[in-house]
Amino acid sequence: MEAVALKERENQIYIKGEKPFNIVCDKDSLAGAVSQRACVFCGSRVVLYPIADALHLVHGPIGCAVYTWDIRGALSSGPELHRLSFSTDLQEMDVIFGGEKKLRQALLELIDRHNPKAAFVYSTCIVGIIGDDLEAICRQVEHEKGIPVIPVKSEGFKGNKRAGYQAACDAMFRLIGTGETSGISKFSLNILGDFNLAGEIWMIREYYERMGIEVVANITGDGRVDDIRRAHGAALNVVQCSGSTMQLANMMEEQYGVPSMRVSYFGVEDMSEALYDIARFFQKKFPGDREADAIMERTTALVREEVRGLMPRLEKYRKALAGKKAAIYVGGSFKAFSLVKAFRLVDMQVVLVGSQTGTEEDYRELEAITDPGTIIVDDSNPLELTSFLKEKGVDIFVGGVKERPIAYKLGIGFCDHNHERKEILAGFEGMLNFAREVYSSVMSPVWRFVPRAKSME
Ligand code: SF4
């Protein structure tokens, strides 16, 4: 490997097979390394904003509020208040004299105007510095307006994106337990960690319906405040993006005894396993129950039908893509596990995989499922990624908005697997879309006209 990593970052990069597994992760980014990571505020915003009937008010300078629905497009089947981004637009005078008055006025005006079911108020860096008492203002307004007004303690500088996930989970936990749970089926679950990009949660909900399982709350894609309030009445929490919502599942287990299960909806293998795991959970919880057995039968039929329909259609892509090289850099590493398996299904080789917020357990799992020589990297930056992509001769890079320009500048195909995408990549149907998108990008004739070969040599 070329010496591109700063010395202090070398232990956050691991090449499988070169030495015994050892990677340093889950720590603050190195100053000056221009990390691909988002801040604490962004971490909380991405988790909470898909709650479509809540007001989302960013308390801070207008720049923070640029992080809106436009760049994180979670869809809603009903209200669309989440698509509006509100900010208190703090100015110099507010920084000197405090922004509490402005925050209170903004909340009162917005609640009157939009009639939300709840309001989330996000702290940003400057609020942490000037010390506005969000808790007190939210309490006052909650009292006056009679809806939950919840401070999200997400000052941008107080840690990395994972601290933002925790702040979001803490905020949602204040809602959970405040709703009525009567009438919820014993075969029920909450969907945690899916954000309904391109409508994915609707497809996942349909699978659960076909299995005969009730979905109580979407947390948070196409989310509703009243559903979240009664989420503690579900029998199971099914957690996809575990980095962002596992803390909430743990808190719910501790306080309300709701067990949780980690799943992934990406790729045929993981999607099928997720449905079977859930069916098995209910069989184990209610041994001998005829409905639990019927759920398993319906699950088997569902997976068979979907896989039978999908595999022949994948064949064309597999033949064309076999042997091509892929690189993955994503926010949470749960997605990376599934992507490694999805690429394997079309006979492609993953040569680089990394994430913004992976834990040691996550990277250990990645080390177990990747091929020797694969670069595994935590909290990377453009310089490192560019160098790895060139060194490995990658054909397609999978990432998000910040990775896209790196790929295009190098003349490499790119697949958006983040919150900006408009195509379903989850579920069985999503696997086909994914293969089609990878195929279109890798095989595109455009690469004949860009200086890819030169930059990759
Ligand atoms: S909270 Fe801080 S780091 Fe995050 S966008 Fe705002 S100013 Fe930037």
Side-chain angles (χ1 to χ4, degrees):
M1 182 176 47
E2 290 171 37
V4 286
L6 295 166
K7 193 140 189 55
E8 298 91 324
R9 278 205 31 83
E10 278 174 0
N11 53 11
Q12 286 177 272
I13 301 164
Y14 171 75
I15 300 171
K16 180 165 174 176
E18 275 199 354
K19 52 188 177 186
F21 174 76
N22 185 20
I23 194 165
V24 172
C25 56
D26 200 8
K27 62 175 213 170
D28 288 346
S29 301
L30 179 68
V34 198
S35 167
Q36 298 288 101
R37 267 181 186 160
C39 72
V40 177
F41 157 69
C42 293
S44 63
R45 184 94 167 100
V46 65
V47 175
L48 293 173
Y49 90 96
I51 303 173
D53 55 356
L55 177 80
H56 299 271
L57 174 60
V58 182
H59 187 39
I62 195 71
C64 304
V66 80
Y67 206 79
T68 63
W69 185 90
D70 296 319
I71 52 170
R72 318 286 291 193
L75 300 183
S76 167
S77 56
E80 296 208 313
L81 188 51
H82 70 307
R83 292 185 61 169
L84 301 178
S85 187
F86 300 106
S87 165
T88 47
D89 185 20
L90 290 183
Q91 306 278 330
E92 241 170 313
M93 295 306 268
D94 304 314
V95 172
I96 296 165
F97 296 107
E100 291 178 4
K101 214 168 142 192
K102 204 170 183 183
L103 172 62
R104 188 181 129 76
Q105 278 166 352
L107 273 171
L108 293 175
E109 185 184 331
L110 288 168
I111 291 170
D112 285 344
R113 194 181 290 185
H114 294 283
N115 202 19
K117 292 276 185 182
F120 292 102
V121 182
Y122 301 79
S123 311
T124 55
C125 285
I126 195 64
V127 171
I129 293 167
I130 63 178
D132 279 355
D133 190 347
L134 250 66
E135 198 71 62
I137 302 295
C138 289
R139 209 178 311 122
Q140 273 175 28
V141 177
E142 178 166 315
H143 188 67
E144 272 178 63
K145 294 294 173 190
I147 61 162
V149 180
I150 302 169
V152 185
K153 295 167 185 166
S154 54
E155 297 83 1
F157 58 74
K158 80 174 184 190
N160 63 44
K161 197 178 175 188
R162 289 183 75 84
Y165 295 155
Q166 181 68 55
C169 290
D170 290 343
M172 276 189 285
F173 196 58
R174 292 164 78 137
L175 279 178
I176 289 168
T178 60
E180 178 59 54
T181 57
S182 60
I184 294 178
S185 163
K186 64 180 184 176
F187 302 106
S188 57
L189 53 80
N190 298 311
I191 301 175
L192 274 71
D194 187 285
F195 304 109
N196 202 30
L197 309 170
E200 284 173 342
I201 216 167
W202 300 329
M203 187 186 59
I204 302 298
R205 282 185 71 115
E206 197 216 305
Y207 292 159
Y208 291 141
E209 266 166 41
R210 284 164 67 185
M211 290 163 66
I213 294 171
E214 178 185 346
V215 177
V216 179
N218 298 344
I219 300 175
T220 55
D222 197 15
R224 300 288 181 278
V225 170
D226 286 345
D227 292 344
I228 295 171
R229 296 178 84 144
R230 66 199 290 266
H232 58 298
L236 176 67
N237 278 328
V238 177
V239 186
Q240 180 176 229
C241 180
S242 53
S244 64
T245 46
M246 199 65 212
Q247 295 98 321
L248 182 67
N250 291 341
M251 289 190 274
M252 286 177 73
E253 178 151 21
E254 199 174 309
Q255 183 138 338
Y256 302 105
V258 184
S260 64
M261 176 186 291
R262 275 176 74 165
V263 299
S264 168
Y265 302 129
F266 294 110
V268 175
E269 222 176 300
D270 285 356
M271 183 69 248
S272 309
E273 208 41 45
L275 302 183
Y276 281 131
D277 279 350
I278 292 161
R280 273 194 288 268
F281 167 84
F282 286 112
Q283 273 191 320
K284 204 166 158 208
K285 187 173 164 81
F286 304 109
D289 188 299
R290 286 175 60 183
E291 181 53 21
D293 293 341
I295 288 176
M296 180 53 93
E297 279 164 28
R298 289 192 287 265
T299 306
T300 309
L302 185 159
V303 172
R304 251 194 221 135
E305 185 189 324
E306 295 287 340
V307 173
R308 201 179 289 145
L310 171 69
M311 295 314 275
R313 297 167 75 197
L314 270 183
E315 197 47 26
K316 163 187 164 190
Y317 303 117
R318 195 191 59 76
K319 273 193 189 138
L321 294 170
K324 302 278 185 199
K325 291 180 183 168
I328 300 166
Y329 192 78
V330 284
S333 44
F334 88 94
K335 212 186 284 174
F337 307 145
S338 302
L339 282 166
V340 170
K341 293 179 205 164
F343 276 122
R344 200 163 279 151
L345 194 66
V346 287
D347 284 349
M348 287 180 70
Q349 193 195 352
V350 173
V351 291
L352 160 69
V353 57
S355 79
Q356 293 177 32
T357 57
T359 61
E360 193 188 327
E361 191 192 346
D362 295 333
Y363 290 120
R364 204 171 280 284
E365 190 168 335
L366 278 177
E367 196 260 352
I369 62 172
T370 48
D371 296 327
T374 305
I375 299 173
I376 299 173
V377 61
D378 173 62
D379 185 23
S380 197
N381 56 60
L383 193 63
E384 286 174 8
L385 290 173
T386 301
S387 153
F388 298 151
L389 293 171
K390 286 164 77 172
E391 180 194 327
K392 291 288 186 183
V394 164
D395 296 289
I396 188 149
F397 189 18
V398 183
V401 69
K402 296 192 288 295
E403 287 75 42
R404 184 192 297 271
I406 299 175
Y408 287 162
K409 279 180 189 171
L410 291 173
I412 297 174
F414 181 76
C415 173
D416 188 336
H417 213 294
N418 209 333
H419 289 230
E420 302 76 36
R421 64 191 158 83
K422 304 287 177 249
E423 180 148 50
I424 286 179
L425 296 181
F428 300 102
E429 183 188 327
M431 181 63 217
L432 187 66
N433 292 341
F434 176 68
R436 190 186 301 122
E437 194 168 322
V438 170
Y439 170 85
S440 311
S441 190
V442 170
M443 311 307 280
S444 171
V446 77
W447 306 125
R448 279 189 239 134
F449 306 104
V450 290
R452 181 187 193 188
K454 269 183 245 149
S455 62
M456 299 297 281
E457 275 161 11

